[in-house]
Amino acid sequence: MYQISNIPHGSTYVSTLKDPSLVADIEFKDVTKLYGDVRAVDGMSLTIERGSFFSFLGPSGCGKTTSLRLIAGFEHPTQGGVFIGGKSVIGVPPHKRPVNMVFQHYALFPHMTVAENIGYGLRQRTPRPSKPEMARQIDEMLEMVQMSGFRSRRVWEMSGGQQQRVALARALINRPTVLLLDEPLAALDRKLRRDMQIELQTLQRDVGITFILVTHDQEEALSMSDRICIMRDGKIAQSGSPQDLYDRPVNRYVADFVGKTNFISGNVSRVNGTAVSIISERGQEFSANPSAGTQPFNVGGHANIAVRPELIVIGASTASTEDMHTDVALKGRIKNQIFLGEHTEYLVATDGIGDVLVLSPKHMEHSNGGFAPGDTVTIGWKNERALALVD
Amino acid sequence: MTGSKKGLWLTTALLAPTTLWFLVMLILPLVVVVIFSFGDRAPTGGYAAAFTFDQYANLASRLKAFTNTLTYAPLGTLMTLLVAYPLAYYLAVKVDERWKLLLLVLVIVPFWTSLLIRTYAWIFILGGRGIPSLLAMIGFEDVRLINTSGAVLVGMIYGYLPLMVFPIFVSLEKLDKRLLEASSDLGGSPFRTFIQVTLPLSMPGMVTGCMLVFILLMGEFLIPAFLGGGKIFFIGNALVDLFLQSRNWPFGSALAVTLVIIMLVMVTLYMRLTTGSKTERDQSVM
Ligand SMILES: Nc1ncnc2c1ncn2[C@@H]1O[C@H](COP(=O)(O)OP(=O)(O)OP(=O)(O)O)[C@@H](O)[C@H]1O
Ligand SMILES: [Mg+2]
């Protein structure tokens, strides 16, 4: 794999950022964007720190692209304020904003060569840099994205990954303080995508500017970002570090979006400071830690208990809670087994709570001998590791 | 083996009608005209078989028609382009989707009547009782519009405008709007975006439109005859005169052949000029 971020020695690449301390680079203050009756963005307030890798994550139509376009200046908020570097940018047209964008399908100019595409931003400057100066900067960018041999290629003579690199170089040559990326990897195959994710991350660290990524791929967001904003119908469902979102989701929507989770839903039977209990549809009671969400749990109200697959222990059909060191023990039958190398993933059909996904680490497989589809087993977990969530 | 023989036979059978159509409709008339152009005028007019270059030697007598055609056709094409582009741009980019179709239809509506009638209308508009009489009311006496070169140009622009508007409209309409956003994102002002992105990407439409209008203007005879007051003669007018009035078919044919050759040369040069630079650059990559 080649690295995108081989910034040449003696490179003059410096972002326009002078004070790298953690200050707000982008700020939304109660931003609403309406398209007719559609609330594409609905009362969003958020702060994106300078120099961070930030992602908007969410299902199709939740307003990710709209948020990005509000920052780029292609759309203007119906209500609220957008700030870049502390200054309001309401009324500032896109060509006067210190941000650049990598478009979803790259939007490279088809009538220009790779070098002309990359140099486009320089040619818009007044005063325009001299020819040799432009050539030097273009070469530097080409080298940075490992595309030096492609100077005079046409856009359609390149693969998706190569086009993506050119789009990146074109956006970075203006040395923006913020780089916006709208699903830049969506068109690439799995392998290339993985490579590019790593390259983007390294690049971001090297150039030190704020990257704002839009994606609906949770794995991508989790692996690349410092902070993630999960959106739902134009609103922020939760925003925080990947670890926060994974370990401390505030509701079922977020838990479901980030990583794989087993849910048990039912009505709340008891609430105290450290535990919430629910009665499942089959009448069984389960307890868990309450989540840090803002909505309270009310006895009788609907709630969910989430248990991550890796927190579930799997044992022989005769095993008890004492044997497994768990609070819960449920009988089940293995429906499916997928070997994943370091882990083995089981799908266990239980009577009480339906199908449960279990991720069993290698050392467990060694100690209990592993299981095969059709085997009857017992699964269990500790209540303190499970999380009670509102919808 | 029989299979491929059968295939060949089938191909021939299928191609035959097309080939025949092409021969009869396009090549045959041209061959006849070329043969005529080397002939003599029969005493009572028409064609008498001969092989002589007399007709071609005589071309210089119609020099004015050639120079007129070769100035007015390119000039008219250019002016039609200048009028058509803003119109096409407005229709493709600015107009709301709901009105687009209606406005497009309005652009073609004039084509539903013949050029003859439409040109007549211009005789009235530009004639004594038209615009000049209005100008007289506000104090500009004795403005003459009809029978001037300006009138001929106006007639040309009007007559062929839709042919120019449509190809440009199509190329502007399919232009990816995200390219304009990309330009703006990279610091391009609206004007520079137009010059650097919109204009070059609508080039194919402009090339097609110019070609269509230019070829038709080269053969034009109605507009100069009606709006030029018989003072501005095109090759087309000379042809009408030679074939219909003086019945000098061989000379007319020689004129027609010369016109075709001039057009071929100009169109080839034009194509070279408009597409050549791109292919050259493409090849330099290889
Ligand atoms: N130009 C527009 N006119 C009208 N409605 C729009 C427009 N752009 C977006 N919308 C609507 O706004 C909502 C949010 O759209 P947006 O493009 O931001 O979604 P997204 O999160 O980027 O989705 P995806 O993952 O599918 O790209 C959608 O309901 C969409 O239909
Ligand atoms: Mg989108």
Side-chain angles (χ1 to χ4, degrees):
Chain A
M1 191 191 77
Y2 38 8
Q3 285 285 306
I4 204 167
S5 49
N6 283 341
I7 296 185
H9 260 301
S11 149
T12 56
Y13 195 106
V14 267
S15 76
T16 40
L17 126 184
K18 302 211 168 51
D19 170 21
S21 61
L22 295 181
V23 284
D25 211 352
I26 302 284
E27 220 178 331
F28 275 26
K29 283 193 180 147
D30 211 19
V31 173
T32 296
K33 172 70 191 174
L34 300 179
Y35 291 113
D37 295 336
V38 181
R39 292 187 160 264
V41 170
D42 192 358
M44 236 166 80
S45 292
L46 65 88
T47 301
I48 300 173
E49 276 168 9
R50 178 165 293 178
S52 63
F53 199 126
F54 187 94
S55 294
F56 285 110
L57 176 64
S60 191
C62 70
K64 307 181 295 288
T65 298
T66 308
S67 304
L68 215 58
R69 292 172 61 83
L70 284 165
I71 301 172
F74 301 130
E75 308 289 352
H76 295 281
T78 317
Q79 257 168 40
V82 177
F83 299 81
I84 300 179
K87 286 197 212 74
S88 168
V89 288
I90 300 300
V92 178
H95 65 276
K96 295 196 174 138
R97 295 194 182 194
V99 301
N100 283 119
M101 182 143 161
V102 175
F103 289 78
Q104 187 156 6
H105 298 284
Y106 315 136
L108 295 174
F109 303 117
H111 57 301
M112 296 180 191
T113 62
V114 165
E116 286 165 342
N117 262 287
I118 295 177
Y120 193 88
L122 295 179
R123 292 200 299 279
Q124 312 314 311
R125 298 238 186 105
T126 37
R128 186 197 281 220
S130 67
K131 276 244 165 70
E133 174 57 22
M134 283 203 280
R136 196 188 59 74
Q137 292 198 32
I138 292 168
D139 282 341
E140 197 181 297
M141 279 298 156
L142 281 166
E143 201 169 324
M144 184 168 96
V145 295
Q146 297 282 304
M147 294 280 291
S148 294
F150 291 76
R151 275 195 126 265
S152 41
R153 277 286 177 99
R154 310 295 292 197
V155 171
W156 61 83
E157 295 167 342
M158 292 186 299
S159 72
Q162 291 164 342
Q163 289 184 25
Q164 210 262 350
R165 283 154 200 269
V166 175
L168 254 174
R170 186 180 71 170
L172 282 172
I173 202 163
N174 272 352
R175 283 142 175 64
T177 55
V178 178
L179 185 72
L180 309 172
L181 304 122
D182 191 356
E183 309 216 13
L185 309 177
L188 307 181
D189 67 50
R190 216 182 141 84
K191 167 87 175 71
L192 188 57
R193 203 172 158 137
R194 194 66 214 122
D195 291 352
M196 290 301 294
Q197 283 173 0
I198 295 167
E199 291 184 12
L200 269 181
Q201 229 179 342
T202 323
L203 180 72
Q204 193 264 337
R205 263 183 237 129
D206 289 349
V207 298
I209 64 178
T210 314
F211 274 35
I212 304 180
L213 175 80
V214 157
T215 179
H216 55 235
D217 179 342
Q218 53 109 1
E219 241 172 273
E220 187 168 296
L222 284 179
S223 65
M224 298 171 78
S225 328
D226 300 320
R227 292 188 79 78
I228 301 173
C229 169
I230 297 188
M231 294 186 65
R232 175 190 207 171
D233 300 333
K235 295 193 184 72
I236 299 175
Q238 186 174 0
S239 106
S241 71
Q243 197 72 45
D244 273 345
L245 298 177
Y246 191 85
D247 292 339
R248 287 174 290 281
V250 296
N251 54 32
R252 179 178 175 152
Y253 177 85
V254 172
D256 201 13
F257 219 92
V258 178
K260 290 175 177 170
T261 312
N262 298 296
F263 290 108
I264 307 163
S265 58
N267 292 323
V268 179
S269 55
R270 273 181 300 158
V271 184
N272 64 39
T274 54
V276 173
S277 302
I278 67 165
I279 306 279
S280 76
E281 277 139 25
R282 289 290 192 85
Q284 243 171 314
E285 185 169 70
F286 294 92
S287 294
N289 264 331
S291 70
T294 47
Q295 280 166 272
F297 295 93
N298 300 314
V299 173
H302 192 262
N304 311 277
I305 284 180
V307 194
R308 297 279 183 200
E310 67 272 19
L311 301 177
I312 301 179
V313 186
I314 189 163
S317 59
T318 53
S320 64
T321 51
E322 287 80 41
D323 299 337
M324 297 193 298
H325 308 289
T326 59
D327 299 322
V328 179
L330 288 169
K331 293 267 177 287
R333 194 177 43 79
I334 307 257
K335 249 175 123 173
N336 195 18
Q337 177 215 31
I338 302 170
F339 179 65
L340 296 173
E342 280 304 301
H343 293 89
T344 304
E345 191 183 274
Y346 294 105
L347 190 63
V348 181
T350 65
D351 286 338
I353 55 171
D355 290 353
V356 175
L357 202 62
V358 180
L359 206 57
S360 179
K362 206 170 197 156
H363 64 87
M364 283 296 287
E365 293 297 289
H366 281 303
S367 60
N368 63 24
F371 300 96
D375 291 357
T376 41
V377 292
T378 309
I379 58 168
W381 61 86
K382 276 186 157 358
N383 284 345
E384 67 193 46
R385 313 290 305 266
L387 202 58
L389 297 165
V390 292
D391 286 321
Chain B
M1 287 299 107
T2 48
S4 81
K5 234 181 228 167
K6 199 169 159 195
L8 191 69
W9 187 85
L10 195 70
T11 312
T12 317
L14 286 173
L15 276 180
T18 321
T19 316
L20 201 70
W21 186 90
F22 189 73
L23 282 176
V24 173
M25 303 299 283
L26 285 169
I27 303 295
L28 198 63
L30 209 59
V31 170
V32 170
V33 171
V34 171
I35 292 171
F36 275 20
S37 73
F38 291 105
D40 257 336
R41 182 180 186 273
T44 55
Y47 168 74
F51 186 77
T52 159
F53 290 95
D54 287 357
Q55 313 303 345
Y56 286 98
N58 202 16
L59 281 179
S61 67
R62 298 285 178 160
L63 189 65
K64 192 68 192 153
F66 278 103
T67 53
N68 272 344
T69 310
L70 287 173
T71 40
Y72 279 86
L75 193 64
T77 308
L78 189 69
M79 294 186 63
T80 311
L81 175 67
L82 291 180
V83 175
Y85 200 95
L87 184 59
Y89 184 83
Y90 179 74
L91 286 172
V93 182
K94 299 286 180 194
V95 165
D96 193 288
E97 284 301 321
R98 283 171 297 172
W99 301 108
K100 213 170 249 186
L101 190 68
L102 180 73
L103 289 173
L104 273 179
V105 170
L106 282 180
V107 174
I108 0 171
V109 159
F111 258 45
W112 293 351
T113 60
S114 83
L115 184 62
L116 185 81
I117 293 166
R118 285 180 289 141
T119 310
Y120 252 112
W122 277 102
I123 294 183
F124 174 78
I125 296 169
L126 299 174
R129 284 179 297 150
I131 294 174
S133 73
L134 293 178
L135 288 175
M137 284 199 290
I138 55 167
F140 295 96
E141 302 284 345
D142 286 334
V143 177
R144 216 169 56 85
L145 295 177
I146 192 77
N147 302 345
T148 61
S149 52
V152 174
L153 282 173
V154 167
M156 286 173 143
I157 295 168
Y158 172 77
Y160 294 103
L161 195 63
L163 285 181
M164 189 70 94
V165 169
F166 268 89
I168 298 176
F169 171 82
V170 170
S171 64
L172 283 172
E173 167 93 342
K174 70 176 184 208
L175 185 120
D176 186 349
K177 302 297 179 292
R178 277 171 314 186
L179 295 177
L180 306 181
E181 287 186 346
S183 166
S184 159
D185 184 65
L186 293 165
S189 63
F191 176 71
R192 294 191 52 91
T193 298
F194 176 79
I195 298 293
Q196 297 170 100
V197 181
T198 312
L199 207 59
L201 288 177
S202 57
M203 204 53 158
M206 291 196 275
V207 169
T208 312
C210 285
M211 183 105 90
L212 282 174
V213 171
F214 177 73
I215 289 172
L216 289 172
L217 283 182
M218 286 288 281
E220 185 54 53
F221 62 92
L222 251 175
I223 296 168
F226 280 25
L227 301 175
K231 286 182 299 184
I232 296 164
F233 248 71
F234 282 19
I235 300 174
N237 302 98
L239 290 177
V240 171
D241 178 42
L242 287 171
F243 277 96
L244 303 180
Q245 255 88 54
S246 47
R247 289 178 50 74
N248 190 345
W249 289 6
F251 189 42
S253 298
L255 228 58
V257 169
T258 313
L259 181 63
V260 168
I261 290 170
I262 290 175
M263 260 203 268
L264 275 178
V265 170
M266 293 196 74
V267 168
T268 314
L269 281 178
Y270 178 71
M271 293 298 279
R272 274 280 161 77
L273 219 70
T274 49
T275 57
S277 57
K278 204 194 286 169
T279 38
E280 210 170 274
R281 230 189 297 162
D282 284 348
Q283 276 158 359
S284 72
V285 177
M286 299 299 153

